[in-house]
Amino acid sequence: MSQTAESPVFDAAASAGAFAADAGGTADSAAASASAVVATAAADATCSSAPSGQAAPAKVGVIGAMDVEVETLVAAMPDARAVQHAGMTFHEGTFGSTPVVVVQCAVGMVNAALCAQTLVDVFGVTHVVNTGVGGSLDATLDIGDVLVARDAVNHLMDVCNLGYAEGQTPGMDTLAFPCDEVLGAALAAAARAEGAVVHTGRVASGDRFVRDATEKERIARTFGAACCEMEGAAVAQTCYRNSVPCAVVRAISDKADGSDAVDYPVFEARAAALCAAIVARTLREWE
């Protein structure tokens, strides 16, 4: 789930990143450009080779946050078939020669966990990628930058009165749920190739829209998190329990303190374009 957004600042590029239009662009033009980039990536996938020493994942589950992002990826899967489970539409097919399941997740931790578990149980995915937008908790993360999560924590979990650390889920052996380094590195490289400024760090998730400086400071201080949002830790925890490698990627939409001007429809289209292109490029490189 996004935070409120000001005018996006993705840099326009003359090559593969051209979908990330400048501030004068429109949501429609950003979405159209994204579709062209992703379609090209899918077409190229059949003739790409895997990076040295990196095995292709058997089946990738992609959990997207935005309509345009999911629609763009699905459009590049000519054999996609829609399957309904738990009120969500899962699009199963191939991207190049890689089996992929793409789904749009509803807002919040329960929806995210349900979505990830369905990908594992019903579709048998071996890797999960969760993309979306989030708020910056770190002054070095600007709007339009991309954060690839090192791990993710539930910033609203609080059972401190029973001796647990703040954020730790009782019964779990870790405070923060790790993301896969190899998958994260591949996504970070893809984001850089698309012209994005990329950071790595901790994602803090919870069923609360962070919008004031006090809450922002609490989360950053307590957990050392760089970004806040509403689903990533639930996906990471579900994957951790299932021993399925996962990655969480967020395009930064705001400063998480209520200070930003709202131009969200345009930002969302550009963030969706960027996320779709990052996933497409990663899948292409895995072929």
Side-chain angles (χ1 to χ4, degrees), residues 17-129:
F19 69 89
D22 63 17
T26 65
D28 288 343
S29 64
S33 297
S35 297
V37 170
V38 173
T40 300
D44 289 347
T46 56
C47 60
S48 300
S49 57
S52 177
Q54 181 173 309
K59 193 172 190 179
V60 182
V62 180
I63 302 175
M66 297 160 280
D67 291 338
V68 173
E69 174 191 3
V70 171
E71 290 166 2
T72 299
L73 290 170
V74 171
M77 298 160 54
D79 60 344
R81 65 184 186 96
V83 181
Q84 297 290 326
H85 279 285
M88 293 174 284
T89 303
F90 295 79
H91 304 272
E92 186 173 22
T94 55
F95 195 97
S97 61
T98 301
V100 176
V101 183
V102 180
V103 58
Q104 183 177 5
C105 182
V107 176
M109 301 283 276
V110 173
N111 283 320
L114 176 61
C115 186
Q117 192 64 52
T118 301
L119 283 170
V120 173
D121 286 345
V122 177
F123 296 97
V125 301
T126 59
H127 294 67
V128 173
V129 176

Side-chain angles (χ1 to χ4, degrees), residues 126-201:
T126 59
H127 294 67
V128 173
V129 176
N130 175 219
T131 63
V133 295
S136 171
L137 300 175
D138 185 330
T140 65
L141 269 72
D142 291 325
I143 295 172
D145 289 357
V146 169
L147 179 78
V148 177
R150 180 183 68 251
D151 56 19
V153 62
N154 182 344
H155 70 80
L156 291 181
M157 180 61 67
D158 185 351
V159 199
C160 296
N161 60 310
L162 298 182
Y164 292 93
E166 189 169 353
Q168 185 170 7
T169 302
M172 299 302 299
D173 59 359
T174 184
L175 170 70
F177 301 99
C179 296
D180 186 70
E181 292 183 6
V182 173
L183 184 53
L187 288 158
R192 292 187 184 97
E194 294 298 333
V197 176
V198 180
H199 308 259
T200 58

Side-chain angles (χ1 to χ4, degrees), residues 218-272:
R218 179 194 73 83
I219 297 170
R221 181 188 69 251
T222 303
F223 301 105
C227 169
C228 60
E229 40 83 276
M230 298 176 70
E231 292 86 26
V235 172
Q237 180 176 348
T238 302
C239 290
Y240 181 76
R241 294 297 298 267
N242 286 279
S243 299
V244 171
C246 78
V248 176
V249 180
R250 292 292 181 265
I252 300 302
S253 62
D254 66 282
K255 294 294 187 177
D257 58 7
S259 64
D260 308 292
V262 177
D263 191 8
Y264 188 72
V266 174
F267 174 84
E268 183 183 53
R270 294 179 185 173

